[in-house]
Amino acid sequence: MYNYIKGIITEINSNYISLENNGIGYLVYSANPYSYQLNNEYKVYIYQNVREDEISLYGFKTLEEKELFLKLIAVKGLGPKMALPMLATGSINGITDAIERENILYLKKFPKIGDKVARQIILDLKGKLVSNSIETIQNEELVEALQALGYKTADIKKVLPNITEEKIEDQIKEALKLLLK
């Protein structure tokens, strides 16, 4: 089992990257391959999926992304090829918030996620994703910062699932834009 591979990105495709390490090019499926830049070195967190007919590598820019992915694929009926697009089109905070609030409509917007799988995700993961992770701490910081600027908690909670930035400064800017709409 791999934890991460540090190497140079030599190819970017619509659903994977090629990561070269010590002369070996690893094909790594990625939620957002275009977030990488060619010929730059990255530390990519890896999940190795072994099936009877295939061995695949899935890569993530952050450990938090990988951890959410691992929790998602543990859900009955949700495999790596269904979980990866969830990370591509949704933010970690948005997915976590949707699960905690039992927002089935939000989960069903992802490819191949129907009513049954959305309900299973909520059943299996509700209450298990909220922790003292960096995202949770940043989320709390974001709420506090916006409250200090005079925004109501109810309004803030409406925009939280739409926040896609990772740095707290960028999250505040993005939240302010959404709140002003």
Side-chain angles (χ1 to χ4, degrees):
M1 173 87 57
Y2 302 108
N3 185 31
Y4 66 85
I5 299 174
K6 193 172 186 180
I8 307 268
I9 304 296
T10 58
E11 182 183 355
I12 299 173
N13 197 306
S14 62
N15 61 349
Y16 69 85
I17 57 172
S18 289
L19 182 66
E20 185 176 325
N21 174 284
N22 290 325
I24 300 171
Y26 296 93
L27 188 146
V28 180
Y29 293 102
S30 173
N32 295 305
Y34 294 110
S35 66
Y36 296 94
Q37 293 182 349
L38 277 175
N39 303 316
N40 284 355
E41 185 175 62
Y42 289 92
K43 180 179 188 178
V44 180
Y45 293 93
I46 298 292
Y47 167 73
Q48 181 181 16
N49 186 44
V50 179
R51 289 187 12 201
E52 187 177 301
D53 59 343
E54 176 184 352
I55 297 176
S56 306
L57 297 177
Y58 293 85
F60 311 93
K61 271 192 158 179
T62 67
L63 196 52
E64 291 79 19
E65 269 187 332
K66 179 182 176 182
E67 288 171 356
L68 178 58
F69 178 81
L70 292 174
K71 288 177 181 171
L72 287 170
I73 64 172
V75 172
K76 182 181 176 188
L78 186 67
K81 291 185 178 168
M82 290 171 71
L84 200 63
M86 290 180 74
L87 294 174
T89 55
S91 70
I92 293 173
N93 290 338
I95 294 168
T96 302
D97 187 57
I99 292 167
E100 292 304 315
R101 292 172 174 238
E102 299 184 21
N103 187 344
I104 291 173
L105 292 177
Y106 182 89
L107 296 173
K108 284 173 53 175
K109 79 175 188 171
F110 298 112
K112 299 181 183 176
I113 304 293
D115 197 59
K116 184 178 177 181
V117 175
R119 289 183 191 281
Q120 190 67 46
I121 292 169
I122 292 167
L123 181 68
D124 289 358
L125 298 180
K126 184 175 181 185
K128 296 178 182 173
L129 300 177
V130 178
S131 65
N132 288 329
S133 68
I134 293 170
E135 268 77 23
T136 305
I137 293 166
Q138 284 184 337
N139 205 355
E140 291 170 5
E141 286 180 38
L142 177 60
V143 170
E144 288 173 11
L146 295 170
Q147 286 173 334
L149 292 171
Y151 289 97
K152 295 177 185 171
T153 306
D155 294 332
I156 296 168
K157 287 187 177 185
K158 288 179 186 174
V159 300
L160 282 180
N162 300 317
I163 304 297
T164 59
E165 296 294 334
E166 290 186 22
K167 294 182 181 175
I168 188 69
E169 300 86 18
D170 297 332
Q171 287 179 347
I172 292 170
K173 289 177 189 175
E174 186 177 14
L176 288 172
K177 286 178 187 174
L178 292 169
L179 285 165
L180 292 173
K181 286 185 179 179

